[in-house]
Amino acid sequence: MVIRSGKAGYFSMIVMAAAALVLFTSASDGQSREKKTVILATTTSLVDSGLLDVLIPSFEKKTGFLVKALSVGSGQAMMLGERGEADVLFVHDQAAEKSLMTKGSGINRRLVMYNDFYIAGPAHDPAGIMGAPSALEAFKRIAASGSLFISRGDGSGTDRKEKSLWALAGLNPEGRKWHQETGTGMGQTLQVAAEKRAYTLVDRATFLAFAGKIDLTAFVKGGKHLWNIYHVIEVNPVKWPKVNQAGAKAFADFLLSAETQRAIMNYGRPRLAEPLFFAGRDKTEEELDR
């Protein structure tokens, strides 16, 4: 840029100074916004159930942080955490969570809430699982009858839970014609199961959130093998110095606050007359796994 002498040159210098100030301010604002953004990696069930649509705006209003939520399933969420590509994880896969902590990728793993999984299927119940004494017996009946079962097959917490149930039942459905995978989230998998009149494993929150939209019946609920426990984990700032440590801790503390725990307990009650989740701040894994 050529700076002319006289008034024109003076005006040009003012314009340049103003432009520099704008650029400096924009850069500062960009850095400020970056520090204020919390990257949350989480499971699809929290999005499909609508819970995050309630919690995130409340958190942002209270703290001034902005949340970028990545809904990818617990398995992929923890992979993001292990690569330092997220600040905080809100997931439900106990075995994978413990492995992540052992690797030193996460800190401050805390139990936030819980519910249970359902084994749902078409009303005519071709495998006869209604009244099954356990989830394992229900899976055995489904396999024995060759009834269609729709699996997420996406490495999520729900997918890993399903695989563990088949293993505990002494069965391996991989490759069987009656066992089909969607490779998608819980909401979409539930819709596919309804369309194909098949069985599936679904978390309580997503099933209830889809009530009235799908034609499936929940036949098996609760019991020792069907608990679904959610934890919040902050990504380790020592291993990944660029993570937003303050934002991650603020979000985790927010989830465990008394006010948020009440909001979790009350979520879904007005419409469904029952909670989609149960507050877990005062619970332990050992207590729920009994």
Side-chain angles (χ1 to χ4, degrees):
M1 179 181 291
V2 178
I3 301 177
R4 296 181 175 84
S5 60
K7 292 183 179 179
Y10 179 72
F11 178 74
S12 297
M13 286 189 287
I14 292 175
V15 170
M16 290 177 63
L21 179 61
V22 169
L23 288 173
F24 176 78
T25 303
S26 297
S28 299
D29 287 348
Q31 292 174 357
S32 177
R33 281 196 297 272
E34 185 177 350
K35 291 180 180 179
K36 282 292 184 181
T37 299
V38 180
I39 300 176
L40 166 67
T42 189
T43 172
T44 60
S45 62
L46 298 184
V47 174
D48 290 337
S49 66
L51 180 64
L52 287 185
D53 291 335
V54 173
L55 298 186
I56 288 178
S58 177
F59 169 73
E60 292 179 335
K61 183 177 180 180
K62 288 179 182 299
T63 65
F65 285 106
L66 300 175
V67 176
K68 179 180 179 181
L70 306 176
S71 174
V72 292
S74 290
Q76 292 180 57
M78 281 181 276
M79 287 177 62
L80 291 173
E82 289 183 357
R83 297 197 297 260
E85 296 174 5
D87 301 314
V88 62
L89 315 176
F90 194 4
V91 289
H92 65 143
D93 186 343
Q94 291 165 271
E97 292 165 21
K98 291 174 182 176
S99 174
L100 179 136
M101 297 297 290
T102 299
K103 294 175 183 176
S105 297
I107 60 173
N108 300 331
R109 176 174 175 260
R110 291 183 274 176
L111 199 161
V112 176
M113 62 191 190
Y114 65 97
N115 60 14
D116 54 347
F117 287 102
Y118 293 169
I119 302 176
H124 66 289
D125 191 18
I129 67 171
M130 180 180 287
S134 69
L136 304 186
E137 175 59 28
F139 269 37
K140 289 177 182 178
R141 294 182 188 182
I142 291 171
S145 66
S147 298
L148 185 60
F149 187 99
I150 303 299
S151 170
R152 285 180 61 169
D154 63 349
S156 62
T158 301
D159 183 53
R160 287 171 60 90
K161 168 63 77 170
E162 181 211 318
K163 286 179 169 57
S164 74
L165 292 174
W166 288 118
L168 288 170
L171 298 165
N172 181 8
E174 299 297 321
R176 302 294 180 89
K177 290 183 179 180
W178 53 267
H179 187 269
Q180 299 178 7
E181 297 182 348
T182 65
T184 61
M186 193 68 259
Q188 291 173 288
T189 298
L190 196 59
Q191 291 175 319
V192 171
E195 290 168 4
K196 294 192 173 187
R197 299 171 66 79
Y199 292 98
T200 193
L201 182 73
V202 56
D203 65 282
R204 164 200 282 259
T206 305
F207 185 84
L208 293 178
F210 276 71
K213 302 176 185 177
I214 55 168
D215 186 18
L216 289 178
T217 300
F219 292 110
V220 182
K221 307 177 183 180
K224 179 179 178 180
H225 298 294
L226 292 178
W227 285 121
N228 182 28
I229 306 172
Y230 292 82
H231 288 85
V232 63
I233 303 172
E234 299 160 50
V235 175
N236 191 346
V238 174
K239 188 172 184 179
W240 302 106
K242 291 186 178 180
V243 304
N244 187 341
Q245 180 181 9
K249 185 177 186 305
F251 185 76
D253 289 345
F254 166 80
L255 291 179
L256 274 297
S257 69
E259 182 178 354
T260 303
Q261 291 282 291
R262 284 194 298 271
I264 289 171
M265 277 294 297
N266 291 327
Y267 181 68
R269 283 183 186 271
R271 182 170 68 89
L272 300 167
E274 61 178 305
L276 276 67
F277 302 94
F278 300 97
R281 184 176 67 169
D282 299 322
K283 300 288 184 180
T284 65
E285 278 183 82
E286 293 71 25
E287 181 181 355
L288 293 174
D289 282 338
R290 287 174 190 162

